[in-house]
């Protein structure tokens, strides 16, 4: 084999390995049967969430997965696949799951989440989680609830005292 070809393949394997190591979440999807227009629509939806989708040769992706310790991905790298990488742990699964509901030809196979190889069940569970901003707002509302409830009680007591309704305050 030509040395230049070998070097270019090694560069691609290194690129895939780097993506696998740096990503919080990686998902393998089979896109057989999707039109170019549908794939473009999917890429736009992924880009909006800062998620990258790339198509690599399966053999090169298998080598990269083996090099990075994600051997569990190799069995899913058959057929026309794309690898979806993200720094957010939930974004790829969420976007792909939403897209797959309207496009049955898109099939999620497996992936990695925070350094662990996961199957379709885990990806489906993760897809139901809210995004980072949604989780932050949920946490903030949990932190604000006790303060808000205390403020409501203080306000009710103050209003009761102003109205001369001392019995309501004691109750």
């Amino acid at each position: 084999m030509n040395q230049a070809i070998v070097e270019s393949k090694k560069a691609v394997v290194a690129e895939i390995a780097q993506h696998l190591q740096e990503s919080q979440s990686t998902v393998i999807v089979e896109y057989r049967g999707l039109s170019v227009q549908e794939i473009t629509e999917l890429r736009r939806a992924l880009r909006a969430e800062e998620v990258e989708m790339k198509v690599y040769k399966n053999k090169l992706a298998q080598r990269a997965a083996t090099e990075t310790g994600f051997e569990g991905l190799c069995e899913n790298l058959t057929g026309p696949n794309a690898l979806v990488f993200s720094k957010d742990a939930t974004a790829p699964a969420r976007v792909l799951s939403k897209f797959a509901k309207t496009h049955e030809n898109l099939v999620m196979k497996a992936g990695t989440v925070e350094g662990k190889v996961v199957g379709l069940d885990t990806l489906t569970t993760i897809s139901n989680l809210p995004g980072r901003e949604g989780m932050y707002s949920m946490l903030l509302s949990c932190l604000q609830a006790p303060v808000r409830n205390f403020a409501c009680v203080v306000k009710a007591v103050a209003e009761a005292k102003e109205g001369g309704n001392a019995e309501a305050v004691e109750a």
Side-chain angles (χ1 to χ4, degrees):
M1 192 181 267
N2 189 351
Q3 188 63 26
I5 294 172
V6 171
E7 291 303 319
S8 68
K9 287 185 179 185
K10 284 182 181 179
V12 171
V13 170
E15 177 187 339
I16 298 168
Q18 181 181 4
H19 279 303
L20 286 171
Q21 290 173 336
E22 292 176 354
S23 298
Q24 284 287 317
S25 179
T26 303
V27 180
I28 300 171
V29 292
E30 184 175 325
Y31 59 89
R32 183 183 321 204
L34 290 178
S35 68
V36 173
Q37 181 181 3
E38 291 170 330
I39 291 175
T40 304
E41 179 184 337
L42 174 60
R43 285 183 188 268
R44 281 191 187 125
L46 290 169
R47 233 178 279 127
E49 294 281 334
E50 297 179 9
V51 178
E52 181 181 8
M53 180 172 123
K54 285 197 145 194
V55 177
Y56 294 104
K57 290 189 174 190
N58 289 332
K59 203 62 159 166
L60 300 178
Q62 288 172 353
R63 285 190 182 171
T66 303
E67 282 181 13
T68 55
F70 296 121
E71 292 88 6
L73 295 178
C74 293
E75 63 193 36
N76 295 295
L77 289 166
T78 57
N81 295 313
L83 297 174
V84 182
F85 305 102
S86 177
K87 303 250 186 246
D88 184 356
T90 62
R94 190 175 60 252
V95 173
L96 291 169
S97 178
K98 182 179 177 185
F99 191 83
K101 287 178 183 175
T102 57
H103 300 84
E104 61 192 35
N105 290 333
L106 183 74
V107 178
M108 289 193 300
K109 291 183 167 183
T112 64
V113 177
E114 295 183 348
K116 296 179 182 135
V117 176
V118 296
L120 181 59
D121 298 338
T122 306
L123 290 174
T124 305
T125 303
I126 290 172
S127 71
N128 295 326
L129 295 174
R132 182 178 302 268
E133 289 78 24
M135 287 185 192
Y136 283 149
S137 67
M138 290 169 64
L139 174 66
L140 185 61
S141 69
C142 288
L143 294 174
Q144 286 179 335
V147 176
R148 187 187 66 226
N149 291 341
F150 179 72
C152 288
V153 169
V154 169
K155 181 180 176 186
V157 169
E159 287 175 355
K161 283 189 176 183
E162 285 178 5
N165 194 356
E167 294 97 27
V169 173
E170 291 175 7

